[in-house]
Every structure is written in structure tokens, then in C-alpha cells.
Amino acid sequence: MHDLKDIRDNPDAFDAGLARRGMAPRAGEILALDEEARKFTHALNELQARRNALSKEIGAAKAKGDEATFKKLMAEVDEIKAQMPVAEEEQKRFGDQITSILETLPNLPAKDVPQGASEDDNVELRKWGEPKRLNAAKEHFDLGEALGLMDFETAAAMSGARFVLLKGQLARLERAIANFMLDLHTGEFGYTECAPPLLVKDHALYGTSQLPKFAEDLFRTTAEHWLIPTAEVPLTNTVREQILDADELPLRLTAWTPCFRSEAGAAGKDTRGMIRMHQFSKVELVSITAPDKSDEEHERMTSCAEEVLKRLELPFRTIVLCTGDMGFSARKTYDIEVWLPGQNRYREISSCSNCGDFQARRMKTRFKAKGEKQTQFVNTLNGSGLAVGRTLVAILENYQDTDGSIAVPAALKPYMGGVEKIGTRD
């Protein structure tokens, strides 16, 4: 959510930020509604002030026994009582119109975010590892199905498209990947592991900006709950409507959860395999920090996600998203893309975003520095550390052998009960 005061003070800067997002100016429309709302706010203040003054005058008239003045003053009070609800309703009407606009406008990009219209304008920052060029490299679904451990047909029979049934050593490998990530993030990087709810209500998704704009991307139950699209939602909402002490910051939280997405608009994209699923698992990273530390925290979070791939010895590159490719709530985003020999290209495996105070304003989450009376909004950050299914995909394709077997990365061997190679049917 945007700060209305900032729009009042810097309307041109607000419209310039929207323009960088490829959007038309909105400050004029918002400020016109704000002016109307403030008229009724002013009217309400005057009515309340007059009502307070009348209370004193009524008391004085009553004390003097001045019945005529008393009745006249009481009649004016009754008139004010009738006017106030009308003014309150008009104030609310204009305020609601402002909110309905603001809640559909994306976060403004940071100054150092590259300008661009699409993913073609993203900027590569760095690479790690040498991409493997394998002769006749197979894609993960061919490898998994040949092993008899990745079953899309059975999953489709019970759930439809974009689901998978993993079995045997691949099911164990997926679990091993997640456990490895959690141990790394909690043991070395200071994140606190959480096991959050997988069902949330409207206000939680509103706080992290999925609602109201992206309802079609979500799955809703019949009991007024939504399945989480990412653990970002419950983890970030752990501080909803709180005033934190500055000494508590930064808060760093992580969770391994299933995630559920309708993939609306994804028709024809990645229809085979595990790249784009309705249900997938992910280890999520969330940070709650002070505004002056959020850029530093963003770099740190991204490096934590990168370290997972380094430990697994999977080549990757890190890019900064341009203004036209960023998510709705982000002010700056780094994507990490892992190399997939079967596709002969890099594919996204993590997205780390700094949301500034955009989500905090929606959640009403503030902090107070020691000795300070004023509170400030926190900054929130989130990132994949990593998408577990896509990491499984990357391991299958990068560690494949010509006989169709899959070597287990050294970092995962302690989690695989001594299994060093996946290559037999279970």
C-alpha cells in the first residue's frame, strides 16, 4: 500500500514511479478524491468542536434556569447529531475510493532498478559454475519416468494436469533437499524455522498483497480460507498489527511448506514436467527489518539462496529484474536461475524481493527505536531458499549419467541414508 501523505507531498514522483512500471499517472485522481474526503474531515472536526462548545453552553443555561436558551441549544445539538453521520458516510465513501485505487497499484521501483518492459530487459549480475554441456542430455521428466519414480499419469488421474507423484528414491531425494536447505538456513544463516498454517484468511493475503488483485491465481476453500501460494504469506503475517522493538530486528524466518497456485494464465507454458505445478514445495525465507537495513538484508538473503546452489554444485546466474518484470509488491527483485542441461538454458529457481514498507502498511506493522516516541513501518523481504521441486529438477538434469542413473550430490548424501546413485526401480 502506498503512503497517501507521500503522494500529497510528491505527486510528480509518484506518477514517475508508476510510469517506470508502464502505468498511467494516478496522483491527480487520488488527490482529487483526497480533497473531497478532507472536506468532510474538516466538516466533522468543526461539527465536533461546535458540539463540545454547545455542551458547555447547555450546562450554563441549565444552571441559570434559562429554559428558552436551553431548548434552542438542544435543538442545535440534535441538528449536529443528524449532520455528523452524513458527513462520516461521505468521508468514508471517498476514503474507500482512494483505498480501492491504492490497493491495486504496484509498489514503486527502487531508483537502481533497470528500466525495461519484459524479462528480455533483465540484467545479469553474476554467474557461478560452468554450465554443463551434456551430449544428448535428457530433461527431468524423461529421466524420472524412465526410472519409474516420477508418475504424472497417476497424479493426473486423481488430480488433473500439473500434478506429479514421486516415489521411492525420488520422493526421498525431494525430502533430503528440503531438509538440507532448512539445516543450512537455520544452522548457518540464523533463520528461525517455523511450521505455519497452510490455510489463511483474506486479511493475511491482503497483507502480503495477493488480494484483491490476484485472487484468480489462488485456490479458495468453501470455508472462507485460501491455500497458501507461498509460505511468505503466513511467515510475513506473524508480525501483522504489531509494534516491534528495534532490538528485535531483523527477524529472519524460514519454513518448508507445500504451495498451491492455480497457474491462471499459464496455458501452454511448461505443460510437461515439474517446472510449473499446481502443488509444489518450497523453502521460504522472510526477513522483517528496519528501513535503513533492508537493502543490506536483501543482498544477504540473496546470498543465502545462492549458497544452497553452491553447496549442491549447480551452476547458476543471478539477475536483477527490470521494472516491467517485477512482482506487484516488490521494489527490487533478484532472480536466481539454475542451469538445466536438458533444456540447455537457465531457469528461475529463486526470487528474492525487497518490498520496502509496502506490505507493512497493509499489515499495520511498525517498530519503535529505544527512546523514540514515534513508530516507523518495518520493511519486509521474501525469497525462495529454494523451490524444492525445481532443485530436484536441476539435480536430475545436472547429475544424470548416460545410463539414465542420477548421482546424489555430496551435500545430500548424509540425508539419503548412504544412497550415492539413483538408478534402480523401487
Side-chain angles (χ1 to χ4, degrees), residues 18 131 163 181 198 208 218 243 273 277-278 291 300 314 329 357 369 394 409:
L18 291 180
F163 289 92
M181 291 176 183
L198 305 181
T208 46
L218 309 171
I243 297 177
M277 309 288 287
H278 287 313
R300 183 188 189 276
L314 293 170
S329 61
D357 62 7

Side-chain angles (χ1 to χ4, degrees), residues 24 80 90 116 178 188 209 236 252 257 273 276 315 336 350 352 360 368-369:
I80 288 173
E90 287 300 291
E188 295 190 31
S209 310
T236 308
R252 297 184 179 120
T257 68
R276 199 179 297 271
I336 304 171
S350 173
C352 297
K368 183 187 292 185

Side-chain angles (χ1 to χ4, degrees), residues 67-376:
E67 188 69 18
T69 301
F70 176 79
K71 289 182 177 180
K72 180 182 177 182
L73 294 174
M74 286 301 298
E76 188 176 350
V77 169
D78 289 340
E79 185 178 345
I80 288 173
K81 285 182 178 179
Q83 290 175 355
M84 287 186 75
V86 176
E88 287 171 350
E89 182 62 30
E90 287 300 291
Q91 180 196 46
K92 182 179 184 302
R93 183 169 70 86
F94 285 108
D96 287 348
Q97 289 182 56
I98 294 169
T99 299
S100 69
I101 294 172
L102 292 180
E103 67 188 8
T104 61
L105 295 179
N107 203 348
L108 303 183
K111 292 180 180 179
D112 59 347
V113 171
Q115 189 67 33
S118 69
E119 62 181 20
D120 296 332
D121 299 311
N122 295 337
V123 177
E124 182 181 294
L125 298 177
R126 53 187 172 268
K127 283 183 177 178
W128 185 91
E130 187 64 31
K132 296 182 180 179
R133 310 285 181 178
L134 305 176
N135 291 327
K138 294 181 179 179
E139 294 197 52
H140 67 281
F141 44 81
D142 289 327
L143 293 162
E145 288 177 329
L147 290 169
L149 304 177
M150 185 181 291
D151 189 344
F152 295 97
E153 186 176 343
T154 299
M158 67 178 89
S159 303
R162 298 189 188 277
F163 289 92
V164 67
L165 170 65
L166 297 178
K167 296 182 286 186
Q169 292 173 337
L170 283 195
R172 180 167 190 170
L173 181 61
E174 183 183 49
R175 175 163 51 93
I177 292 167
N179 284 330
F180 162 69
M181 291 176 183
L182 287 175
D183 286 350
L184 182 62
H185 293 312
T186 58
E188 295 190 31
F189 301 146
Y191 286 86
T192 298
E193 183 176 353
C194 302
L198 305 181
L199 292 167
V200 295
K201 292 195 171 182
D202 291 12
H203 63 260
L205 286 157
Y206 180 85
T208 46
S209 310
Q210 282 84 9
L211 289 181
K213 192 172 177 64
F214 302 102
E216 67 173 6
D217 296 328
L218 309 171
F219 286 111
R220 188 174 191 177
T221 74
T222 56
E224 298 184 350
H225 287 90
W226 302 79
L227 291 167
I228 62 168
T230 163
E232 169 202 346
V233 177
L235 291 181
T236 308
N237 273 276
T238 58
V239 295
R240 180 176 178 267
E241 295 184 349
Q242 294 183 32
I243 297 177
L244 307 170
D245 289 332
D247 292 344
E248 297 179 67
L249 306 178
L251 293 174
R252 297 184 179 120
L253 308 174
T254 186
W256 169 34
T257 68
C259 305
F260 306 90
R261 298 184 186 177
S262 70
E263 292 296 343
K269 297 178 180 178
D270 299 304
T271 53
R272 290 202 65 191
M274 292 179 59
I275 293 293
R276 199 179 297 271
M277 309 288 287
H278 287 313
Q279 175 187 319
F280 60 96
S281 70
K282 181 157 64 83
V283 172
E284 185 72 2
L285 306 175
V286 162
S287 292
I288 313 295
T289 189
D292 62 343
K293 299 293 184 182
S294 66
D295 288 342
E296 177 185 334
E297 187 68 16
H298 193 198
E299 301 296 329
R300 183 188 189 276
M301 175 181 284
T302 305
S303 70
C304 292
E306 290 175 335
E307 187 61 27
V308 176
L309 293 173
K310 291 178 180 178
R311 300 285 179 98
L312 295 174
E313 300 181 79
L314 293 170
F316 67 89
R317 68 174 185 171
T318 301
I319 62 176
V320 58
L321 300 193
C322 70
T323 55
D325 198 32
M326 287 198 309
F328 180 82
S329 61
R331 68 186 299 269
K332 185 176 182 180
T333 297
Y334 294 126
D335 269 9
I336 304 171
E337 298 180 341
V338 69
W339 178 254
L340 298 184
Q343 294 191 23
N344 198 38
R345 60 183 289 207
Y346 289 100
R347 295 299 304 268
E348 179 198 336
I349 197 167
S350 173
S351 191
C352 297
S353 296
N354 184 351
C355 298
D357 62 7
F358 190 78
Q359 294 177 327
R361 289 182 181 279
R362 297 168 80 108
M363 295 189 304
K364 299 180 175 61
T365 304
R366 300 173 180 263
F367 76 100
K368 183 187 292 185
K370 189 174 182 179
E372 295 288 333
K373 292 183 179 180
Q374 294 295 322
T375 60
Q376 300 179 58

Side-chain angles (χ1 to χ4, degrees), residues 387-407:
V388 177
R390 292 195 179 192
T391 305
L392 175 67
V393 167
I395 289 171
L396 291 179
E397 295 198 12
N398 281 275
Y399 282 85
Q400 64 179 293
D401 203 343
T402 54
D403 63 359
S405 63
I406 311 297

